[in-house]
């Protein structure tokens, strides 16, 4: 099959062999990495022109649903817009101070006159303005201002012992770790002028432009000789030989042409040719800012990307303020289209970002940004760390996308991969200078046997410069607002967390198995992130539960703002494999609340991991093949569908309610996306003779069917509506970060969980058939309560067993160790949130 763009034919291309650590299928890791970029050729060189259009496919496999005619979800509007009843209830009592200040950045056309409320953004379509917006003066001068910042010096690192006295038993290890960190800070101050200057390595290495020409520098101590080659010199290795200094840094200066034009035209292909211990090799510059794979070619090409000033994208909108409660929508740009193709930054900007805003999320976490030659690696096998993925467009397209997110008030986080690098020797850092110990540990220590990737040597000076500069580059150049660091557990231990069960014993964290160099790097990168960008957010993916992980560096911690609470998703999968009768309420509550005091967590019921081929999403665990036949409203439901819809909502709400100070959802999971993700793959035969079936390089399962969640004749719509109102409830009340949390009931026989978050009371009845009348619910505050969110609402696919006009008045008298209580009806398999309406309501006295 040939995929086409206007005037261009792009053929599916085989990929370099790289194992994907995420998928079962990618164990073979030699699938083709078809590209869908609109690259134009001119005079045998790559130019800057990329098209933003969609590909046209010869055939598209429609998702077939059984519906003889469209039917409206009860409570929905005929034009497909959402009912506002639930949201109006949220806003009735909302304090203006609790509304996110990011709303200020929205145009008047984007929200109506009630834009102060959380619901207004949901109800009104967010329009993409056609008017020209002038650049924000603060943003335009941000980079210059950051250069003047002096990152605060290290603290004493002793407060961790006050926070957790048990850490005193490991003071020797922790004090050594902190002294090593301080030593590195002192050395950087002495030899590099400070951490701020050290983190600007991209101004020294790679290509740097001046008024008189272009300088190119590369650290390659293993190379015997080096020369810069590319379109600009006819790929002549003798034309531009480089010189080496005593530190193994190769350099060349190319003066401007006679007409004062740059010696390397913008859009030209470039590589460095080196004579190495492994032979002559051409490599993409390590600090390259853009790289592409040409039609008909396997290796990528480095691109000298330096458009004229008048063509560079200029940011127009300031960064949003850091949210008090972080609600993250995890997204992959390439697979964000409803069509079977690789989506673009431009289409994501125009189609998906407004959706995320309407759904009520305040942050978007973008996956697969750093260039990776193997598409099916989900972006986790990075080849070019400073280059955004060319599959989705140009660097300026990415900047435009981020700027639009900021205009909508969305924080933009990047899924950062510093835990390992692609094993690819043609496009990436592996064997860059012909040695295996260049950026990585040599031998077995530098190879991750499960991921088939290379492991950085975090104790090397130039590796620190490279990675610290990389983090700053994405924050400064592209205006990302923070990172979710991938695979941090693998970094912090020499065993990488493989075949190791962490029990919580402190000896597992502080000993010979700890990679102190890697932990110190994480402390340094958090210094850079928070020292230069105080509003930036850092999230670490750590499954081990490393103590001090979420404590500031100056206090002796690793410095992350949040830990990704990975145990929750594992617990839900464990429970979904068992019968409802075997679920333990105390076990659920323990898993959700089992986190270190004062260290914040991002909770999630499922992420992209569960959506990959070979695994199952929560929706698929619950409803299985019935999702394909009984989600249309013109067909009767089944017990499996009814159970699945009910529990899907309950699982997500209790995860958000108790699991952490932040919440994450992978795109499409909010409405129970019915299909897994299967990246395009070709058939392949492994070196050991095994044959792995591909999928014919199909993109059919590498997309998101948002149209299913929007369809008012499908039950998916109800799940999406529930998630939407759940997000806006949190926005109105910030219950994830509320100071008051009390779990008053975990009743195993009744299958009931009740807890308080500020002025909200959450009531979950997980029983499969028992409903409870006049059920007593303990509470702290006196007054009147009303329903703020009801999972049984027909709008959400429920049975409508509760009266939303009912008022619930408190009774004085102890119940479940609470000073007051009120009586409710708790239907089976429902979650209901009650909101305090009046504190001064007269209280009844229990008899």
């Amino acid at each position: 099959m040939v995929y086409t763009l206007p005037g261009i034919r792009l053929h599916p291309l085989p990929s370099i062999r790289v194992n994907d650590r995420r998928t079962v299928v990618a164990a073979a890791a030699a699938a083709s990495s078809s590209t869908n970029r609109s690259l134009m050729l001119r005079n045998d060189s790559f130019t800057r022109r990329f098209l933003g259009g969609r590909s046209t496919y010869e055939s598209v496999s429609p998702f077939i649903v059984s519906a003889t005619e469209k039917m409206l979800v009860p409570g929905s509007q005929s034009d497909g817009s959402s009912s506002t009843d639930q949201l109006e209830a949220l806003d009735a009592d909302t304090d203006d101070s609790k509304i996110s200040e990011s709303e200020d950045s929205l145009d008047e056309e984007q929200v109506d006159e009630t834009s102060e409320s959380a619901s207004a953004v949901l109800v009104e379509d967010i329009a993409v303005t056609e008017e020209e917006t002038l650049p924000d003066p603060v943003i335009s001068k941000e980079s210059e201002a950051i250069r003047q910042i002096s990152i605060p010096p290290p603290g004493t690192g002793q407060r961790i012992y006050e926070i957790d006295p048990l850490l005193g038993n490991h003071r020797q290890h922790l004090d050594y770790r902190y002294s090593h960190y301080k030593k590195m800070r002192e050395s950087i101050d002495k030899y590099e002028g400070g951490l701020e200057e050290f983190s600007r390595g991209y101004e020294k290495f790679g290509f740097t432009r001046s008024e008189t020409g272009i300088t190119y520098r590369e650290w390659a101590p293993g190379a015997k000789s080096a020369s810069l080659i590319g379109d600009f010199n006819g790929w002549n290795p003798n034309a531009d030989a480089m010189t080496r200094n005593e530190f193994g840094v190769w350099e060349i200066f190319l003066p401007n042409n006679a007409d004062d034009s740059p010696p390397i035209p913008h859009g030209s292909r470039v590589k460095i040719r080196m004579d190495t211990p492994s032979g002559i090799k051409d490599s993409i510059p390590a600090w390259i800012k853009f790289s592409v794979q040409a039609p008909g070619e396997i290796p990528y090409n480095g691109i000298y990307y330096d458009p004229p000033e008048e063509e560079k994208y200029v940011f127009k909108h300031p960064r949003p303020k850091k949210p008090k409660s972080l609600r993250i929508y995890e997204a992959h740009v390439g697979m964000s289209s409803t069509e079977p193709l690789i989506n673009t930054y431009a289409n994501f900007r125009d189609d998906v970002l407004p959706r995320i805003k309407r759904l009520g999320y305040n942050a978007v976490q973008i996956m697969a940004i750093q260039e990776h030659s193997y598409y099916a690696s989900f972006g986790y096998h990075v080849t070019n760390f400073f280059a955004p993925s060319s599959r989705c467009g140009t660097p300026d397209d990415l900047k435009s996308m981020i700027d639009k997110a900021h205009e909508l008030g969305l924080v933009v986080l990047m899924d950062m991969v510093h835990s390992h690098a692609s094993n690819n020797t043609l496009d990436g850092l592996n064997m860059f200078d012909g040695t295996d110990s260049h950026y990585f540990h040599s031998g077995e220590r530098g190879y991750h046997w499960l991921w088939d990737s290379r492991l950085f040597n975090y104790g090397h000076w130039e590796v620190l410069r490279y990675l610290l500069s990389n983090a700053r580059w994405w924050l400064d150049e592209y205006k990302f607002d923070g990172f979710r660091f991938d695979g941090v557990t693998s970094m912090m231990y020499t065993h990488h967390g493989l075949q190791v069960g962490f029990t919580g014993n402190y000896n597992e964290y502080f000993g010979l198995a700890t990679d102190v160099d890697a932990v110190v790097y994480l402390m340094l990168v958090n210094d850079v992130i928070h020292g230069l960008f105080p509003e930036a957010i850092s999230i670490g993916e750590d499954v081990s539960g490393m103590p001090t992980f979420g404590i500031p560096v100056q206090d002796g911690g690793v410095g992350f703002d949040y830990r990704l609470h990975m145990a929750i998703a594992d617990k839900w999968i464990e429970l979904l494999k068992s019968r409802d009768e075997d679920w333990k309420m105390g076990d659920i509550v323990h898993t959700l609340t089992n986190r270190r005091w004062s260290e914040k967590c991002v909770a999630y019921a499922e992420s992209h991991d569960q959506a990959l081929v070979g695994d199952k999403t929560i929706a698929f665990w619950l409803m299985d093949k019935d999702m394909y036949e009984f989600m249309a409203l013109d067909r009767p439901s089944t017990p499996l569908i009814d159970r699945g819809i009910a529990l899907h909502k309950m699982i997500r709400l209790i995860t958000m309610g108790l699991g952490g100070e932040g919440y994450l959802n992978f795109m499409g999971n909010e409405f129970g996306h019915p299909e897994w993700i299967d990246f395009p793959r070709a058939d392949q035969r492994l070196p050991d003779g095994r044959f792995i079936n591909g999928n014919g390089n199909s993109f059919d399962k590498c997309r998101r069917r948002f149209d299913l969640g929007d369809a008012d004749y499908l039950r998916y719509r109800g799940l999406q509506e529930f998630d939407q109102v759940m997000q806006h409830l949190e926005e109105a009340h910030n219950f994830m970060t509320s100071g008051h949390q009390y779990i008053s009931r975990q009743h195993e026989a009744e299958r009931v969980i009740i807890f308080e978050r500020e002025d909200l009371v959450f009531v979950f009845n997980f029983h499969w058939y028992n409903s409870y009348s006049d059920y007593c619910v303990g509470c702290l505050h006196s007054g009147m309560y009303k329903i703020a969110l009801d999972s049984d609402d027909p709008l959400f696919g429920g049975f409508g067993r509760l009266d939303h006009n009912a008022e619930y008045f408190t009774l004085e008298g102890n119940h479940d160790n609470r000073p007051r209580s009120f009586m409710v009806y708790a239907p089976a398999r429902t979650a209901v949130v009650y909101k305090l309406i009046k504190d001064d309501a007269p209280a009844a006295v229990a008899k």
Side-chain angles (χ1 to χ4, degrees), residues 21 143 179 203 206 230 523 546 550 556 607 622 681 725 732 781 814:
R21 70 189 183 87
S143 295
S179 66
E203 294 182 356
M523 297 165 73
M546 164 72 81
S607 69
L622 289 168
R681 294 176 290 108
V725 176
H781 302 291
N814 187 282

Side-chain angles (χ1 to χ4, degrees), residues 601-662:
C601 288
V602 172
Y604 61 94
E606 55 185 341
S607 69
H608 64 267
D609 288 332
Q610 289 76 31
L612 289 166
V613 61
D615 209 330
K616 289 184 179 182
T617 62
I618 287 176
F620 211 83
W621 275 110
L622 289 168
M623 295 177 278
D624 205 69
K625 64 181 184 298
D626 278 21
M627 296 176 70
Y628 294 97
E629 299 182 34
F630 299 100
M631 292 299 277
L633 288 173
D634 66 346
R635 278 195 173 191
S637 183
T638 67
L640 200 64
I641 292 294
D642 290 341
R643 172 181 180 268
I645 288 177
L647 289 179
H648 193 273
K649 294 175 287 187
M650 296 178 72
I651 287 171
R652 303 179 85 76
L653 180 59
I654 198 169
T655 298
M656 175 179 263
L658 285 179
E661 293 74 21

